[in-house]
Amino acid sequence: MRPSRGIFPTVAVLALGSLPLAGSAQDTRPPSAFAGTWRGPLDTGGGSLTLVFHLTEAAGGGFEGAMDSPDQRATGIPATEVSVEGDTLTFTVAALAMTYSAVLSSDGSTLAGTFTQGPVRLPLTLTRGEAEAPARPQTPALPLPYRSQEVAIPTVEAEVTLAGTLTLPEGPGPFPGAVLVTGSGPQDRDETLLGHKPFAVLADHLTRQGIAVLRFDDRGFGRST
């Protein structure tokens, strides 16, 4: 898969192979000290990206793991090389000209090092723990100050039934109405993309203003047949 112009591709699938650890008499850390989930913010100068590394000891030695960029919804960046020498971890992705090299702290709680991509070199410190899901305060949350109900829209000629949600303001009506239709490509009734639900946000706003709103899953997607 081609990488995007950003630091990471927006979509990728990662399954790191079992790669042998470099062993020597000078090694000071057991492999288990590096195992686990690590996360931290990468300051790109124009913003911050959370990176997550999952490292698991493989049965035959070495590590199996994955690297994610949750802010970009990238859950798999293919690594071409992972190595551990003493207290130093090196993680390389040749397709992106990227390397992360870091030293494990004496108490095993942090990995501090340098993220390199081409000529760019940025400090990156990781700590143990899963990445937190980004807050979406604009997404409607229960309880809602209006009625919301599931609807089915049958089309006899095409033998298709569209499944959707109808939101209705409080009161007897009648109400003005709006139908939300997605753009190209199959999408659900909320037009979910990269963790955002723009149609849910639009329907919520319009319904609060006294407008009935119908939104539905595209044909052959979600609950639509």
Side-chain angles (χ1 to χ4, degrees):
M1 180 169 294
R2 288 181 185 173
S4 68
R5 293 183 179 181
I7 298 265
F8 301 111
T10 56
V11 180
V13 177
L14 173 62
L16 298 184
S18 301
L19 298 168
L21 293 173
S24 72
Q26 296 179 348
D27 286 353
T28 59
R29 302 299 179 86
S32 58
F34 292 85
T37 298
W38 301 83
R39 68 181 177 113
L42 178 68
D43 185 354
T44 64
S48 178
L49 290 174
T50 298
L51 300 185
V52 182
F53 290 78
H54 307 279
L55 298 175
T56 304
E57 289 183 83
F63 282 108
E64 294 177 345
M67 184 175 71
D68 306 329
S69 178
D71 297 331
Q72 297 175 311
R73 290 297 185 271
T75 56
I77 311 299
T80 51
E81 183 179 1
V82 177
S83 64
V84 170
E85 295 185 9
D87 58 1
T88 301
L89 169 74
T90 302
F91 190 103
T92 302
V93 182
L96 297 179
M98 187 224 91
T99 299
Y100 177 57
S101 182
V103 175
L104 185 66
S105 63
S106 58
D107 62 1
S109 64
T110 62
L111 281 166
T114 302
F115 176 96
T116 303
Q117 186 177 37
V120 178
R121 293 173 57 85
L122 300 170
L124 175 61
T125 297
L126 306 176
T127 56
R128 292 186 183 275
E130 296 287 346
E132 298 178 358
R136 308 290 188 203
Q138 71 275 28
T139 301
L142 297 175
L144 300 172
Y146 50 79
R147 294 168 288 172
S148 178
Q149 63 189 62
E150 289 286 312
V151 297
I153 310 166
T155 303
V156 177
E157 295 83 358
E159 298 183 347
V160 168
T161 298
L162 300 179
T165 299
L166 176 64
T167 53
L168 294 165
E170 293 295 339
F175 307 105
V179 179
L180 305 183
V181 182
T182 69
S184 60
Q187 293 174 299
D188 65 18
R189 68 192 69 184
D190 294 332
E191 205 182 35
T192 303
L193 179 66
L194 300 177
H196 296 278
K197 298 180 180 293
F199 273 17
V201 175
L202 286 171
D204 177 74
H205 176 75
L206 292 173
T207 308
R208 290 172 186 266
Q209 305 306 311
I211 300 173
V213 180
L214 171 66
R215 63 192 197 272
F216 55 89
D217 298 329
D218 286 351
R219 177 174 174 167
F221 197 78
R223 296 182 183 177
S224 293
T225 63

